[in-house]
Amino acid sequence: MNKYLLSVTAMAFVWTANAQQSNTLTDKDYAHAESFLSYNTEQLVDHGRVSPNWLPGDKFWYRVLTPQGSEFILVDPVKKTRGQAFDQQKLAVAISTATGKTYEANKLPFRTFSFSDDLRSISISADGKSWKCDLQSYQCTPDNAMVGQSAAHSRRRGGGDEVASPDGSLVAYIKDYNLWVRNIKTGKETQLTADGIKDFGYATDNAGWKSSDGPIVRWSPDSKKIATFKQDQRNVGDMYLVSTNVGHPTLKSWKYPLPGDKEIAMITRVIINVDEPKVINIQVAPDPHRATLSDDIASSGTFDDVDWTTDASKLAFVSTSRDHKQEKFRIADAATGTVKEVFEETVATQYESGQGTINWRYLAKTNEIIWFSERDNWGHLYLYDALTGKVKNQITKGDWAVTELLKVDEKNRLIYFLADGREPGNPYFSHLYKVGFNGKGLTLLSPGEGNHQITLSPGENYFIDSYSKADVPPVTVLRDLNGKLISTLEKTDISRLQASGWKAPIPVTLKAHDGQTDIYGLMYVPTQLDPNKKYPIINNIYPGPQGGSVGSWSFASAHGDCQALAELGFVVVQIEGTSNPLRSKSYHDMNYGHMSENTLPDQVTAMQQLAQKYPYIDINKAGIWGHSGGGFATAAAMFRFPDFFKVGISESGNHDNRNYEDDWGERYIGLLIPQADGVSNYEAQANQNYAKNLKGKLMLAHGLMDDNVPPYNTLLVIEALEKANKDYDLVVFPNNAHGYGQNSYYMMRRRWDYFVKNLAGAETPKEYILKSKTDPRNSAQ
């Protein structure tokens, strides 16, 4: 045989053998990864979440999922009983008889129902019709009134774009920039204001990045007055987005102030009498559209930083400066609008009132104020004299942080609150405590290691406590306000989840870039980990500073697609870097004014520490991805640490905070200050200025109808990359907003492909389709 032919044949054999040994992922591999997404894992969790539906007397029922289907549990805290809400077999027969269809006892055709006050009957919807079922005779009859009752109930709760009065008789709503009320019983509509105009209307909700058609109001306890404002955004700059469609596009424009703008949205505070409509101007200058939580002055679910007295004679409120450095506590006379200046707090960086809730209360009966402050470097509560504006005493103290003020018992002078970091272990674990106004008698009410999620009963005599850790499933119990155990409601069973091959993330404790500060995170490794192999490492980042990469430290069957991505051959990490909340003030302020650091020095050193501890991590193949603030951080990582991060995916990033809503940057960076050379303090933090440093593979993604982070943020980076002659990859969603909607699964699959190809050097299946599935236990509903 010809020697040349022999050589060619041998070479072909070698190439074929190498090709067969190359790393090629298949549909089966992706399907395996998909099995770790929440829509697959959650259906394998039994006796999990308890979502109470409250009844008179602090009774409640809830639906719990079991391997067989659903169980409905009724709990009476007073009688200390827990049991089946009804005989599910008898009810299944009754519903089957009424509807002509056959239903199983554990697959009843509803998720929710309405008990009668005497608990003798329930109203349900099945097969598009409403039924009332007697729980003694177990017979169901048509209930044509249920739909109307449900609609009225929704209105009483303030459903849609209406806010209900405390007595449920009225709902407030906006019409033609003015505030109106409608009587629920009669349907009569009454106009409360008349001078509202476009961009200067009453109770209008627009924070630039977030808006709704519902009114921002706070009803007085007697349902006779409304506290609200007239929002002036007439001279605020506009933001524009353009739809993608056949024919002429639709232009969306709205008021969206930016850092450094001369004009931002301002609010003129008012009190409105409802019975005989009258607008009473609160006699202070207009305030910036700000609150102690954020610029969305309804971010806690109602009109933030206002508090009526019980008799509705006075309204306490807090005014926040544009840069969040100054808070003024004020009390207005509801009849005249005159204002008493009580006290103010000024901080060097930015003030916050806690996490997710407003942590101050005005106690008119005793002329006292409970106030939240980080003045001793930790978030604590202080008792003020409302007459003098002086501190009477510090209520809580220590190297731990109050996060949420849940209940104030004025009669017994007790405060119930959530706090992080007081118990040993992870400082992000939350617990419930009580303490006296005088700071004495501090008591832990929620024992048990882990993160505690607390739900107070409507009567505030009991609380449901679900506690867990990222690697330990929840136990849910019912306790009274002294912390006494009344009943163990559920112990979450994950045996079916574990049998599927699922494994929990690994909690890790590391050092920040200063080499001293402890930081915490979660690590996800392949369930079939081969310790002798090397795995690229991917950082899923959200830098904050209003939150962190991990988010909730409670148990979850899936944390986004972290475990799914690990199953494709990676180690995935989420690391809480410095400058995030829930710890000390100095910790939170570590990057104040320099948000472009994005906790990246912490992320890099933490990943290096993990690689030293776990030899199977290939630190030379480091990737990173994030969304929104995480998209900002990802691009920064690729540009500022180009030799460390090899592959990045930046989704919907606020790459230049001069192009993002005014409040975020002005709160965490400070007011925009032009320098003598025309360069502002924001210039050095803009990602496009560092795009020329890119060495690795970068994918950018954005929704072109993103009204939170406008897409021009990403376009600035694209322009800079092109000017620098840098290659990049791009995914756009022409008609999607910030979260991509149904296209989020497409983005997820593209993310998997990008890391598999460019970080692991493997081939991917072509255009794998992720298919969200429903829990089969809900199939009857």
Side-chain angles (χ1 to χ4, degrees):
M1 184 178 288
N2 187 295
K3 291 184 178 180
Y4 174 76
L5 291 175
L6 280 172
S7 299
V8 171
T9 303
M11 290 174 63
F13 177 81
V14 171
W15 181 86
T16 302
N18 287 338
Q20 291 173 344
Q21 293 172 5
S22 67
N23 192 3
T24 300
L25 274 65
T26 66
D27 280 7
K28 184 177 179 180
D29 295 315
Y30 268 47
H32 171 73
E34 185 182 7
S35 70
F36 290 86
L37 297 179
S38 62
Y39 55 75
N40 288 314
T41 58
E42 195 62 25
Q43 60 187 292
L44 300 176
V45 176
D46 301 313
H47 297 279
R49 182 181 307 161
V50 172
S51 298
N53 298 272
W54 297 102
L55 301 167
D58 281 345
K59 300 182 186 71
F60 64 94
W61 67 267
Y62 63 92
R63 171 179 177 261
V64 65
L65 296 178
T66 71
Q68 292 74 36
S70 300
E71 291 182 359
F72 296 85
I73 306 299
L74 179 65
V75 180
D76 187 333
V78 177
K79 294 181 180 179
K80 298 181 173 56
T81 58
R82 175 197 176 279
Q84 296 289 326
F86 43 77
D87 188 318
Q88 291 185 208
Q89 181 60 47
K90 289 183 178 180
L91 187 59
V93 171
I95 296 173
S96 299
T97 300
T99 63
K101 289 188 176 182
T102 301
Y103 292 103
E104 299 177 30
N106 56 11
K107 293 183 179 179
L108 294 171
F110 53 84
R111 287 193 183 188
T112 61
F113 54 85
S114 175
F115 268 110
S116 62
D117 287 346
D118 61 7
L119 305 181
R120 291 179 178 270
S121 66
I122 60 173
S123 295
I124 66 172
S125 292
D127 292 335
K129 297 181 180 180
S130 298
W131 305 85
K132 186 174 183 179
C133 301
D134 186 280
L135 293 180
Q136 293 182 335
S137 66
Y138 283 95
Q139 292 184 343
C140 297
T141 57
D143 185 8
N144 296 325
M146 183 182 175
V147 174
Q149 291 171 352
S150 297
H153 179 65
S154 176
R155 288 195 295 269
R156 285 197 297 272
R157 294 180 59 189
D161 296 329
E162 302 172 341
V163 178
S165 60
D167 64 7
S169 65
L170 301 169
V171 290
Y173 60 97
I174 297 172
K175 181 180 179 181
D176 297 329
Y177 313 109
N178 284 291
L179 197 64
W180 294 61
V181 293
R182 184 177 66 252
N183 187 293
I184 290 293
K185 183 177 291 186
T186 67
K188 180 184 177 181
E189 296 179 315
T190 302
Q191 186 171 356
L192 301 180
T193 69
D195 60 334
I197 59 174
K198 186 178 186 297
D199 296 324
F200 195 24
Y202 286 91
T204 54
D205 180 9
N206 178 27
W209 63 277
K210 177 265 180 190
S211 63
S212 80
D213 293 326
I216 298 179
V217 299
R218 182 76 71 92
W219 283 92
S220 62
D222 61 5
S223 300
K224 294 183 180 299
K225 298 182 178 70
I226 291 175
T228 186
F229 53 80
K230 194 177 183 186
Q231 180 174 241
D232 188 357
Q233 51 184 12
R234 290 171 292 180
N235 296 315
V236 172
D238 292 315
M239 184 59 69
Y240 304 98
L241 296 172
V242 180
S243 67
T244 299
N245 51 264
V246 176
H248 296 287
T250 299
L251 174 67
K252 176 181 179 180
S253 65
W254 76 105
K255 298 298 182 180
Y256 189 105
L258 296 170
D261 282 359
K262 181 179 179 181
E263 301 285 350
I264 65 170
M266 303 291 288
I267 59 172
T268 298
R269 298 175 183 271
V270 299
I271 292 171
I272 301 175
N273 290 338
V274 175
D275 290 345
E276 296 182 5
K278 179 183 179 182
V279 177
I280 300 162
N281 290 311
I282 295 178
Q283 297 174 23
V284 292
D287 282 328
H289 189 286
R290 300 284 190 271
T292 58
L293 279 179
S294 74
D295 67 322
D296 173 14
I297 51 179
S299 59
S300 70
T302 183
F303 184 13
D304 286 346
D305 287 317
V306 297
D307 196 9
W308 283 102
T309 57
T310 303
D311 63 3
S313 64
K314 296 178 180 178
L315 180 76
F317 64 98
V318 175
S319 298
T320 299
S321 64
R322 178 169 176 170
D323 59 5
H324 285 269
K325 292 182 179 181
Q326 184 183 57
E327 307 293 342
K328 293 183 177 181
F329 194 99
R330 296 160 157 169
I331 301 174
D333 185 295
T336 65
T338 57
V339 172
K340 172 183 171 60
E341 302 282 350
V342 182
F343 69 89
E344 67 179 60
E345 178 163 343
T346 302
V347 298
T349 53
Q350 56 92 21
Y351 174 88
E352 63 182 354
S353 60
Q355 298 298 316
T357 187
I358 302 296
N359 284 332
W360 63 262
R361 299 287 190 278
Y362 174 44
L363 312 177
K365 292 180 181 178
T366 56
N367 286 310
E368 292 173 311
I369 300 160
I370 296 172
W371 181 251
F372 178 92
S373 174
E374 295 177 300
R375 64 191 58 175
D376 71 352
N377 193 39
W378 295 89
H380 283 302
L381 301 176
Y382 294 77
L383 188 65
Y384 270 78
D385 187 318
L387 297 178
T388 66
K390 303 295 183 183
V391 177
K392 298 178 71 171
N393 60 267
Q394 185 172 350
I395 299 172
T396 61
K397 62 182 63 178
D399 292 350
W400 47 275
V402 172
T403 56
E404 292 188 41
L405 176 56
L406 295 185
K407 171 182 168 63
V408 176
D409 181 348
E410 294 185 63
K411 180 180 178 181
N412 296 303
R413 297 182 69 78
L414 291 172
I415 298 171
Y416 297 81
F417 62 93
L418 298 178
D420 287 14
R422 184 175 181 269
E423 308 307 313
N426 190 319
Y428 296 103
F429 287 169
S430 182
H431 288 265
L432 177 66
Y433 302 86
K434 71 174 179 179
V435 69
F437 282 20
N438 59 5
K440 297 181 179 179
L442 179 64
T443 305
L444 171 65
L445 301 177
S446 59
E449 186 179 3
N451 190 45
H452 291 252
Q453 297 176 308
I454 305 296
T455 304
L456 285 178
S457 67
E460 298 186 336
N461 297 309
Y462 306 93
F463 65 91
I464 297 171
D465 175 14
S466 180
Y467 60 98
S468 64
K469 296 189 287 186
D471 56 344
V472 179
V475 174
T476 304
V477 299
L478 177 68
R479 297 182 182 273
D480 66 19
L481 279 193
N482 292 316
K484 183 180 179 181
L485 179 66
I486 294 175
S487 175
T488 297
L489 301 177
E490 300 293 338
K491 291 184 178 180
T492 301
D493 181 0
I494 60 170
S495 57
R496 291 196 302 128
L497 181 65
Q498 291 172 320
S500 73
W502 178 93
K503 291 183 180 178
I506 303 168
V508 293
T509 303
L510 305 154
K511 292 297 181 183
H513 70 282
D514 61 8
Q516 299 179 347
T517 307
D518 284 337
I519 57 176
Y520 299 80
L522 297 176
M523 184 172 74
Y524 308 79
V525 301
T527 52
Q528 300 299 319
L529 177 73
D530 182 349
N532 296 314
K533 286 182 60 177
K534 284 284 189 177
Y535 295 87
I537 183 170
I538 298 172
N539 189 313
N540 174 212
I541 187 171
Y542 188 82
Q546 72 276 16
S549 297
V550 172
S552 173
W553 286 88
S554 296
F555 177 86
S557 65
H559 297 255
D561 66 339
C562 287
Q563 187 60 48
L565 194 53
E567 294 302 309
L568 297 177
F570 304 99
V571 171
V572 180
V573 295
Q574 295 173 309
I575 298 165
E576 297 285 308
T578 54
S579 78
N580 283 335
L582 301 176
R583 295 174 69 175
S584 69
K585 173 68 171 171
S586 57
Y587 183 92
H588 195 187
D589 283 347
M590 280 188 178
N591 288 342
Y592 178 83
H594 303 283
M595 287 299 108
S596 60
E597 287 197 12
N598 287 294
T599 78
L600 291 174
D602 299 321
Q603 307 292 331
V604 170
T605 188
M607 294 166 73
Q608 291 170 335
Q609 292 169 53
L610 288 171
Q612 292 174 355
K613 183 175 181 180
Y614 301 101
Y616 52 77
I617 293 177
D618 188 349
I619 199 63
N620 295 314
K621 292 183 178 180
I624 186 168
W625 83 272
H627 188 92
S628 193
F632 174 31
T634 294
M638 297 300 293
F639 301 157
R640 294 170 182 261
F641 296 86
D643 293 319
F644 182 80
F645 290 106
K646 305 302 192 299
V647 180
I649 301 173
S650 170
E651 301 177 9
S652 303
N654 52 314
H655 299 288
D656 187 333
N657 285 297
R658 293 169 297 187
N659 265 30
Y660 185 47
E661 61 98 4
D662 61 324
D663 175 79
W664 191 91
E666 292 184 342
R667 178 172 187 173
Y668 295 112
I669 298 173
L671 297 180
L672 190 149
I673 304 172
Q675 307 296 326
D677 57 3
V679 177
S680 75
N681 53 327
Y682 281 57
E683 180 73 22
Q685 305 190 44
N687 275 342
Q688 69 267 19
N689 294 329
Y690 305 91
K692 61 182 179 294
N693 297 332
L694 178 65
K695 293 183 179 180
K697 296 284 292 185
L698 174 62
M699 174 186 280
L700 297 161
H702 219 114
L704 298 187
M705 295 299 289
D706 190 337
D707 56 1
N708 181 340
V709 180
Y712 317 113
N713 282 270
T714 291
L715 296 179
L716 285 170
V717 174
I718 289 173
E719 183 179 49
L721 288 167
E722 291 171 348
K723 286 181 178 179
N725 194 35
K726 294 292 182 178
D727 291 342
Y728 63 92
D729 293 287
L730 177 65
V731 176
V732 296
F733 299 98
N735 290 304
N736 281 130
H738 195 53
Y740 309 155
Q742 287 299 312
N743 283 326
S744 61
Y745 289 112
Y746 175 83
M747 186 67 233
M748 184 181 292
R749 193 269 296 171
R750 291 294 303 272
R751 185 162 62 241
W752 294 4
D753 287 353
Y754 204 70
F755 282 128
V756 168
K757 290 178 180 179
N758 297 298
L759 196 60
E763 291 301 315
T764 66
K766 183 173 177 58
E767 297 175 351
Y768 181 84
I769 299 176
L770 293 167
K771 298 178 181 178
S772 177
K773 304 173 183 65
T774 58
D775 191 331
R777 293 173 294 182
N778 294 332
S779 60
Q781 283 105 37

